[in-house]
Structure formats: C-alpha cells, structure tokens
C-alpha cells in the first residue's frame, strides 16, 4: 500500500506526486523523491524497481522479508534493513518484531514497512521542519529513519529493565522462586529479540561514518555517528541486563535448592520422631497384657508416656534448630 510519494527540492517539499511521475523528478540534480510503502505487494515492489532502477537482490530481500538487520551497498545506492521492535497488541508483555527496508539512492528514498502499524509520519514532519538539513538529500532522510527506529528501542529497554527490577525484588519471597525463573526466561527471550535488532545494525551503521563512506552519506557522517553512539549505549545496556538476568536465574535456582532442603529437613525430623515411636514399639512388642514388664499394672501407661516424652523432646530440639 502506498502511504505517500513526495518530491523535495533544495530541502523544501515541492509536491505530492503519483508514482507514474517519479522518473520526471529524479533526473533533477537538486531534487529527490521520498516514497513510503506499507506491506508492499510484489507488483508494487516491481513498479518501484522499475522507477528507481533498484538492484534485484535488494528487491528480493524486501519481497521475502524477515531479514537480519543490515546495511549493504549496491553500486551508488544503499539497502538497509531495520527491525521495528514493538509491544505485542495480541499478547501483552511480549514483543512483536516488524521490519522496514530502506532503499537509498542519490535522488530517492524508498521505505517499505512490513508487519508494523506504527508509521514514520513524524519522521517526515521532522525533516520538513529542518530544510537546512533536508538539503543534504536522501542521506539525511536515511539518518532520520534510522534515528527514529533506534529511539523506539529505548522505551522497550526501559520496560524490560523495570520488569527485571520487579523480579529482583521478589527473589527472596518464599515460594516465588520457580515463578521467578519462568519470568526471567521470558524476559531473557525479550532481551534477545532486542539484541538481535541492535547488534547487527550497530555493525552496519558503523560503516556510514569515518574512513570511506558511501557518497550518499558524505555530508551527514556526524549524524550517523550519533546513531552509532545510541546503538552502542543500547547494546551495552542489553549486555548488562543479560548478565543480571543470568545472575538472577542462578540465585533463584539456589533458592529452589534451599527450599527443597528445608522440606528435606522437615521430612527427616518427622521421620526421626516416628522412628523413636517405632523403636519403643518394636522393643516391647506392644502385644502383651501389661508392658513393659509382663505383669506390671502400670507398664502400658508408662510405655505410652515414654514415647510421648521422647517424641516431644525431639520435636522441641528440631524446632529450636529450625528444622520444623
């Protein structure tokens, strides 16, 4: 689906144009066309490939989707794949991963957004409010799109850190260890989703400033360096979270072991108490007319009293030792 197709000249919006007129404007030296598609059909991609002379391998990646984040050069053009990490609307607490593929040439920018309902109209408005920067052309638009995607990672990361803090507060709550481990593993999965979106993009974006950079990005290298700084910060926070989650899982496993040992001690204590009863009963047989002496009148009450006293003494000792 076509979202918009706009031509800009010297950093200023010139007009909204139909797709059929794209070829009339990309030939102008100071103009570029910015097209945005959502969940593009193969026919739409084929049409854009014809209008912008896109590389067939890049178009194939965009057609199939589910690509690893990357930035690739095809001659004088760039093909970028960015992951859109969002909160799932169907399953609260889970993360949904969309994708935006960006084709960038000297006189054009084509963004193809897939599996995401959150658009980039705010990015277009931001660029149009800064004509001095938009004058840099398609390279600045690529930066603005990347910056918007990276900025959306921060709220997700904050939510994950908040969830981790809540779990850490419940680590030493009796009986909560097993549930905490399940929550930690779910959190670990969400962190890995964000990691898979950030780490490859950090590697690709590092090629857009310093040293030999694509001609498209030559005037906006400082802006791409800012994106890389943000990605590096997010990546470092993710690594810290992974370490913390690993430590929290180990602590919770230790708590499970401690709770199981408490149960074992209680079982051992009760088994010891009943063993005393069994020992007395085994010695005296408990089948005579009077016990513990064969004809003693008070033998049976004395046997019962001794069992009760012995068991009570053991119970008191185990209670004092916190086994019961």
């Amino acid at each position: 689906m076509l979202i918009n197709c706009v031509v800009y000249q010297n950093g200023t919006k010139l007009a909204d144009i139909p797709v059929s007129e794209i070829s009339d404007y990309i030939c102008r030296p100071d103009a570029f066309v910015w097209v945005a598609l959502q969940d593009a059909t193969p026919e739409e991609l084929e049409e854009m490939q014809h209008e912008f002379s896109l590389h067939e391998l890049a178009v194939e990646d965009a057609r199939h989707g589910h690509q690893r984040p990357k930035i690739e050069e095809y001659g004088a053009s760039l093909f970028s794949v960015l992951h859109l990490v969002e909160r799932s609307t169907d399953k609260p607490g889970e993360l949904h991963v969309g994708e935006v593929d960006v084709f960038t040439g000297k006189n054009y920018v084509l963004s193809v957004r897939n599996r995401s309902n959150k658009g980039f109209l705010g990015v277009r408005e931001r660029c149009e409010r800064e004509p001095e920067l938009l004058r840099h052309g398609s390279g600045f638009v690529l930066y603005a799109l990347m910056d918007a995607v990276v900025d959306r990672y921060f709220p997700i990361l904050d939510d994950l850190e908040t969830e981790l803090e809540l779990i850490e507060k419940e680590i030493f709550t009796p009986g909560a260890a097993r549930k905490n481990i399940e929550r930690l593993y779910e959190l670990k999965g969400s962190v890995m989703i964000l990691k898979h979106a950030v780490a490859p993009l950090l590697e690709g974006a590092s090629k857009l400033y310093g040293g030999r950079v694509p001609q498209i990005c030559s005037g906006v290298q400082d802006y791409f360096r800012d994106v890389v700084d943000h990605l590096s910060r997010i990546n470092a926070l993710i690594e810290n979270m992974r370490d913390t989650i690993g430590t929290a899982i180990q602590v919770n496993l230790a708590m499970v072991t401690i709770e199981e040992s408490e149960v074992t001690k209680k079982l051992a204590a009760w088994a010891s108490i009943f063993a005393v009863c069994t020992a007395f009963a085994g010695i005296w047989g408990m089948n005579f007319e009077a016990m513990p002496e064969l004809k003693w009148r008070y033998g049976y009450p004395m046997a019962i009293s001794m069992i009760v006293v012995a068991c009570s003494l053991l119970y008191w000792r185990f209670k004092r030792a916190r086994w019961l």
Side-chain angles (χ1 to χ4, degrees), residues 158-169:
D158 290 340
D159 290 343
L160 296 179
E161 288 180 331
T162 300
E163 177 68 15
L164 179 57
E165 290 173 359
L166 292 175
I167 297 175
E168 285 183 309
K169 291 180 180 178

Side-chain angles (χ1 to χ4, degrees), residues 34-36 80 82 84 100-104 109-112 119-124 126-127 138-152 201 224 227:
W34 182 356
V35 181
S80 308
L82 314 175
L84 305 173
V100 58
D101 304 318
V102 185
F103 300 84
T104 312
V109 176
L110 169 63
S111 63
V112 183
F120 293 98
L121 291 177
V123 177
R124 188 180 292 273
R126 171 197 172 185
C127 292
S138 56
F140 179 75
V141 175
L142 175 60
Y143 151 74
L145 289 171
M146 289 181 61
D147 186 56
V149 171
V150 173
D151 284 345
R152 293 179 185 180
L201 184 58
F224 285 110
V227 172

